[in-house]
Amino acid sequence: FLDRYAVNGETDWPQAAQRVAHAVADGDDGLWVESAFHDMLEGFYFVPGGRIIAAMGSGSQITPYNCFVLPSPEDSCDGIMSSLYKWMELQRRGGGVGINMSTLRPSGAFVKGVNGSSSGPLAWMELFSTMTHKVIQQGGSRRGAAMLLLNDRHPDILDFVDAKRTPGVLEGANVSVAISDDFMRAIRTDDNWDLVWKDEVYKTQPAREIWQRI
């Protein structure tokens, strides 16, 4: 409690309960709402999420919301870094953040602007993971929460699925495959599954093999 939720010199739960109740009831008519909510909090009949306890009435810029989802980044360095900046701002204010990186071209794909090849979404994900795991400390006491996603049709999906088998890779984030109904039907009927980016098929293999890897 003292490490993560107490603010402004608070030393016990009743003080925090009073602060949160007052902040939540701000703007309501009369003191009844504040008093009733305080009694619920202090007696542990109701306990809000940790971000609410840490943020409400604290006077700081931390968020009372636990979870955010950012739009998938534009497939460019500027687009990715813009998303990373928003990720950082939410993380440092105490929010957990998720993002689907399937808009990024696969590893090895041609990049016309620099006449080179793409490092792929997995390499960029490392920046987001490191920002969460090693750069930002929320309130000086906790690491942020992060979720990185990739669609089941993305050509780099198997590398993504296997990534956390390697120590030190994506250690600052949870990972999830964004699975479609079509993929589940392909598993059921034992069909092949095309790995596609921008209408180009990069690879085809049995859906059940991908499922087993997942």
Side-chain angles (χ1 to χ4, degrees), residues 198-213:
K198 288 200 170 179
D199 299 324
E200 180 181 350
V201 177
Y202 277 69
K203 187 176 182 180
T204 300
Q205 65 185 94
R208 289 185 182 180
E209 288 184 8
I210 300 173
W211 179 247
Q212 288 302 318
R213 289 277 284 278

Side-chain angles (χ1 to χ4, degrees), residues 77-149:
C77 286
D78 288 344
I80 296 166
M81 296 311 292
S82 174
S83 293
L84 183 63
Y85 174 76
K86 294 170 186 175
W87 179 279
M88 177 194 70
E89 286 294 307
L90 289 169
Q91 290 272 343
R92 76 184 185 91
R93 286 172 169 80
V97 194
I99 190 168
N100 188 323
M101 306 288 269
S102 300
T103 47
L104 304 186
R105 71 192 70 195
S107 176
F110 180 64
V111 182
K112 183 178 180 181
V114 294
N115 194 31
S117 59
S118 170
S119 56
L122 200 57
W124 287 109
M125 286 179 186
E126 277 296 328
L127 287 179
F128 289 76
S129 174
T130 299
M131 181 69 74
T132 302
H133 187 54
K134 296 182 178 179
V135 179
I136 300 296
Q137 281 210 48
Q138 298 183 335
S141 64
R142 69 200 288 268
R143 297 298 180 189
M147 175 65 77
L148 298 169
L149 299 97

Side-chain angles (χ1 to χ4, degrees), residues 22-34:
H22 180 73
V24 171
D26 185 40
D28 282 301
D29 294 331
L31 297 176
W32 183 87
V33 171
E34 180 178 334

Side-chain angles (χ1 to χ4, degrees), residues 1-55:
F1 167 77
L2 293 175
D3 184 43
R4 298 193 178 194
Y5 305 114
V7 299
N8 303 330
E10 293 168 349
T11 58
D12 57 33
W13 173 245
Q15 292 172 332
Q18 184 64 58
R19 165 179 55 85
V20 174
H22 180 73
V24 171
D26 185 40
D28 282 301
D29 294 331
L31 297 176
W32 183 87
V33 171
E34 180 178 334
S35 175
F37 192 46
H38 172 263
D39 290 346
M40 293 174 64
L41 290 174
E42 187 173 354
F44 289 102
Y45 295 105
F46 173 78
V47 180
R51 294 299 82 207
I52 294 172
I53 298 172

